[in-house]
Amino acid sequence: MNLDKMRQNNKEISWDAIVIGSGIGGLVTATQLASKGAQVLVLERYMIPGGSSGAFHRNGYTFDVGASMIFGFGEKGYTNLLTRALSAIGEKCETIPDPVQLAYHLPGGAEVSVSRNYDQFISSLTSLFPHEEKGIKAFYKVCWEVFNCLDSMPLLSIEDPAYLAKVFFKAPLSCLGLARWLPFNVGEVARRHIKDQQLLRFIDIECFCWSVMPADKTPMINAGMVFSDRHAGGINYPKGGVGVISEKLVKGLEKNGGKVLYKSRVVKIILEGNKAIGVKLANGEQIYARTIISNATRWDTFGGEDVKEPLIEQSKTPSAELKWRNRYQTSPSFLSIHLGVKKDCIPNDSHCHHLILEEWDQMEKEQGVAFISIPTLLDQSLAPKDHHIIHAFTPSSIIEWKSLTPSEYVAKKELDCERLLSKIEKVFPNLKPSITHKEIGTPKSHRRFLGRHKGSYGPIPAMRLPGLLPMPFNSTAIKGLFLVGDSCFPGQGLNAVAFSGFACAHKIGAELGINPWSLPE
Ligand SMILES: NC(=O)c1ccc[n+]([C@@H]2O[C@H](COP(=O)([O-])OP(=O)(O)OC[C@H]3O[C@@H](n4cnc5c(N)ncnc54)[C@H](O)[C@@H]3O)[C@@H](O)[C@H]2O)c1
Ligand SMILES: CC(C)=CCC/C(C)=C/C=C/C(C)=C/C=C/C(C)=C/C=C/C=C(C)/C=C/C=C(C)/C=C/C=C(\C)CCC=C(C)C
């Protein structure tokens, strides 16, 4: 039955899909479905779209909420998922290529810059570890093998048997290649090729800076993607700030008949038996749809870790979710500072992204690693004339911010911010006197503004798991209810949640019978 016929038969249901949350995962699902003719409503609790990839404006500055190092804007292949998501709804982001993904400032004064140019990166790393030249090349070669598999096939839902059959027919070796690496983590692959303990520590921090886990807990498929795409499609910053991506997705959604309602917090997913049929908003309104998609985290959707009021009633929690909670835990959140600074404190030839680690044993500790992003080095339009933006953040757990009186909370914010600023001054001396604007966000701010349980960056393994194998896809044990975003395969990252959006929309499209027969070019 086509969608129009289904709609005529059921007058009460005006939407084919309701998406809870307008993060990149939610918006990619929404736009993909809308581009295939589905009627889609997105309900966002906040005033602006984008979630962790949103932006906010203050005193002439445009600050990125979270995401700032953007993968997925390449021109070629199939892994350029942000380019593809926008183009499906007739939109495009103008982007600025970043010549260096990241400058590492490591213990003992070691400095490594990850150039967009692969050979340049390999030669700078081998100059530090000349005795490991062979191992370095062999390890990153495996990463390319994984990436080349991903980049040679249309990326849709592996839950759909029809897609699996078609993609296997189109790219059998790539499918087998991916199937081979699915159960592996980076650590075991790195140790096959590299013996030097310092270099293995470097591979740990290479993983930690995007997965917040050391190599032994970071899935190999994701590493293949990150460690190669930074040299293939490259890191590209969207002109006007990261918030532009979600603004354009919303524009394209609306052009395709979809709608976003802001300040619309969903408090319950309405079930009929074991089927999701609608949602209830904080203002009491109920809206019904054929499919419900939650872009809220798994904990906010299904509960666990003492979430008081998850979207699904506790008594209806599927047993698969209980198993998931034993395997995965919340990653820390962040302490983040958004600064406006006078231009002179940042040399013009500085790199945009930096990571500072002072002692190796600090890597996984509270506020152990400092991340710095200076997007105005790429796009000056984000700050007033003669000024830069600095967004600095460091992992921090909400538990550190609990049970404080209001004045203790304010004092801790200032103290921890000072400590972070002093770390940054090791790379950019005289920063403090150059500050013209300062905002401090804590794990509590992330929880409040992003609606994320504990303000977390997403799920991380609670134990050593076999790569991506145990990570759930988009379907849930509740009929008509799907999840999208970083609580789903393949986890954190804008490109990763964009993949989860493509997969989710494809799986739903297969059930609604609206997917085109042939795979995308
Ligand atoms: N690259 C970086 O520097 C960086 C930094 C931080 C985050 N990130 C990435 O951002 C990605 C997050 O994307 P995502 O799509 O999973 O989700 P998200 O958390 O960005 O978005 C979820 C959205 O759902 C909304 N929401 C939550 N509960 C709701 C409810 N009950 N009712 C209505 N709306 C609700 C939130 O307000 C938010 O807008 C992650 O992959 C993360 O890795 C990247
Ligand atoms: C048939 C047969 C035989 C078989 C089958 C198999 C298959 C087909 C399979 C498949 C698979 C797949 C498709 C997969 C996919 C995957 C993907 C897409 C992945 C992706 C990923 C991505 C990622 C991970 C990304 C990430 C990134 C990030 C997170 C970033 C971050 C950053 C940060 C935080 C920043 C830092 C900063 C400074 C320093 C400032």
Side-chain angles (χ1 to χ4, degrees):
M1 207 184 319
N2 71 27
L3 284 181
D4 285 338
K5 216 33 174 294
M6 282 162 81
R7 281 181 206 123
Q8 278 165 18
N9 285 356
N10 193 341
K11 299 242 163 26
E12 264 183 35
I13 296 179
S14 42
W15 301 101
D16 298 310
I18 287 178
V19 181
I20 305 168
S22 67
I24 294 295
L27 286 176
V28 171
T29 314
T31 46
Q32 280 293 301
L33 283 171
S35 71
K36 293 178 203 161
Q39 300 280 313
V40 186
L41 173 67
V42 178
L43 298 167
E44 168 56 54
R45 68 203 286 280
Y46 197 41
M47 297 172 296
I48 51 161
S52 315
S53 341
F56 62 99
H57 305 276
R58 296 273 194 286
N59 297 343
Y61 295 98
T62 302
F63 290 114
D64 297 329
V65 168
S68 58
M69 180 191 285
I70 310 300
F71 295 77
F73 268 129
E75 291 295 330
K76 292 189 291 207
Y78 287 100
T79 51
N80 53 352
L81 293 167
L82 292 178
T83 307
R84 284 176 169 265
L86 288 160
S87 127
I89 33 119
E91 295 290 329
K92 186 175 165 59
C93 273
E94 207 181 317
T95 58
I96 304 156
D98 192 345
V100 168
Q101 180 218 3
L102 180 57
Y104 288 103
H105 309 274
L106 298 172
E111 305 265 324
V112 183
S113 292
V114 183
S115 167
R116 192 180 183 106
N117 180 303
Y118 178 66
D119 294 334
Q120 221 164 304
F121 163 60
I122 291 296
S123 66
S124 69
L125 194 56
T126 43
S127 69
L128 288 177
F129 300 95
H131 52 290
E132 283 280 20
E133 181 173 355
K134 225 170 119 201
I136 291 172
K137 289 185 175 158
F139 168 70
Y140 286 104
K141 185 165 167 272
V142 181
C143 298
W144 278 109
E145 279 167 28
V146 174
F147 176 77
N148 290 335
C149 292
L150 283 169
D151 207 36
S152 63
M153 55 190 253
L155 299 174
L156 295 169
S157 175
I158 1 184
E159 284 188 275
D160 174 29
Y163 161 74
L164 267 189
K166 284 179 213 170
V167 83
F168 191 75
F169 185 71
K170 182 181 166 81
L173 293 180
S174 299
C175 287
L176 293 173
L178 290 175
R180 174 181 173 206
W181 291 112
L182 271 178
F184 284 95
N185 289 317
V186 179
E188 48 200 312
V189 180
R191 279 192 300 274
R192 272 185 218 165
H193 301 288
I194 295 169
K195 296 285 165 284
D196 185 301
Q197 291 305 308
Q198 283 301 107
L199 183 54
L200 287 169
R201 280 176 157 171
F202 176 73
I203 305 293
D204 271 331
I205 191 75
E206 273 261 84
C207 292
F208 186 87
C209 74
W210 48 273
S211 72
V212 292
M213 288 175 293
D216 269 337
K217 286 185 172 176
T218 301
M220 188 58 204
I221 298 259
N222 288 4
M225 182 80 175
V226 172
F227 295 160
S228 307
D229 192 32
R230 60 192 183 181
H231 310 289
I235 306 296
N236 301 287
Y237 190 80
K239 217 164 180 203
V242 172
V244 168
I245 307 172
S246 40
E247 283 165 17
K248 294 213 170 194
L249 285 168
V250 168
K251 191 168 155 215
L253 175 69
E254 290 171 346
K255 270 193 319 207
N256 282 269
K259 196 168 167 182
V260 185
L261 292 178
Y262 298 101
K263 297 192 191 169
S264 301
R265 183 164 67 88
V266 172
V267 289
K268 272 282 167 275
I269 294 172
I270 305 169
L271 300 183
E272 194 176 75
N274 189 41
K275 182 168 174 10
I277 57 164
V279 297
K280 185 175 170 201
L281 299 183
N283 65 7
E285 192 184 342
Q286 302 195 354
I287 313 177
Y288 294 88
R290 215 155 266 124
T291 327
I292 310 295
I293 299 126
S294 174
N295 187 203
T297 71
R298 255 195 147 79
W299 296 282
D300 293 296
T301 307
F302 285 115
E305 292 196 353
D306 49 71
V307 174
K308 285 196 192 75
E309 295 197 41
L311 298 177
I312 293 287
E313 221 173 277
Q314 303 268 21
S315 61
K316 301 279 169 63
T317 312
S319 57
E321 297 301 328
L322 300 175
K323 209 186 232 173
W324 184 82
R325 282 178 213 164
N326 289 332
R327 291 176 170 168
Y328 290 90
Q329 62 189 12
T330 39
S331 74
S333 179
F334 293 103
L335 165 75
S336 59
I337 46 180
H338 288 92
L339 304 175
V341 297
K342 289 189 205 133
K343 206 169 182 172
D344 298 344
C345 68
I346 311 282
N348 283 337
D349 58 354
S350 305
H351 301 313
C352 177
H353 293 103
H354 298 258
L355 179 150
I356 306 171
L357 176 64
E358 293 175 329
E359 299 295 337
W360 283 110
D361 64 2
Q362 290 296 304
M363 189 177 80
E364 291 181 77
K365 298 271 162 65
E366 166 76 17
Q367 299 186 28
V369 178
F371 301 93
I372 306 162
S373 164
I374 315 169
T376 33
L377 285 164
L378 297 171
D379 182 358
Q380 182 53 57
S381 76
L382 304 173
K385 193 168 176 292
D386 294 331
H387 286 75
H388 274 300
I389 277 173
I390 297 186
H391 177 200
F393 46 102
T394 183
S396 179
S397 291
I398 204 157
I399 192 129
E400 304 288 330
W401 300 85
K402 276 198 164 150
S403 322
L404 300 175
T405 63
S407 60
E408 283 169 346
Y409 177 73
V410 172
K412 180 169 167 59
K413 266 172 94 166
E414 287 300 332
L415 194 76
D416 290 9
C417 170
E418 269 304 298
R419 200 179 319 125
L420 183 53
L421 289 174
S422 302
K423 258 191 200 174
I424 304 172
E425 280 197 322
K426 292 184 180 146
V427 180
F428 299 108
N430 297 323
L431 176 71
K432 289 182 195 171
S434 305
I435 296 173
T436 52
H437 184 92
K438 180 173 88 180
E439 313 224 3
I440 311 172
T442 72
K444 283 186 154 184
S445 331
H446 289 93
R447 182 178 63 187
R448 175 168 166 217
F449 290 105
L450 301 175
R452 295 179 68 91
H453 174 53
K454 294 185 178 172
S456 166
Y457 180 60
I460 52 173
M463 57 187 84
R464 210 146 135 186
L465 293 172
L468 271 184
L469 265 191
M471 198 66 175
F473 299 115
N474 305 98
S475 302
T476 69
I478 294 177
K479 218 164 166 276
L481 175 64
F482 297 82
L483 250 64
V484 71
D486 54 24
S487 297
C488 299
F489 183 100
Q492 286 90 341
L494 288 202
N495 209 16
V497 298
F499 168 78
S500 133
F502 273 96
C504 187
H506 179 87
K507 175 70 180 147
I508 294 168
E511 291 188 9
L512 296 178
I514 56 173
N515 286 343
W517 192 87
S518 54
L519 292 176
E521 279 309 307

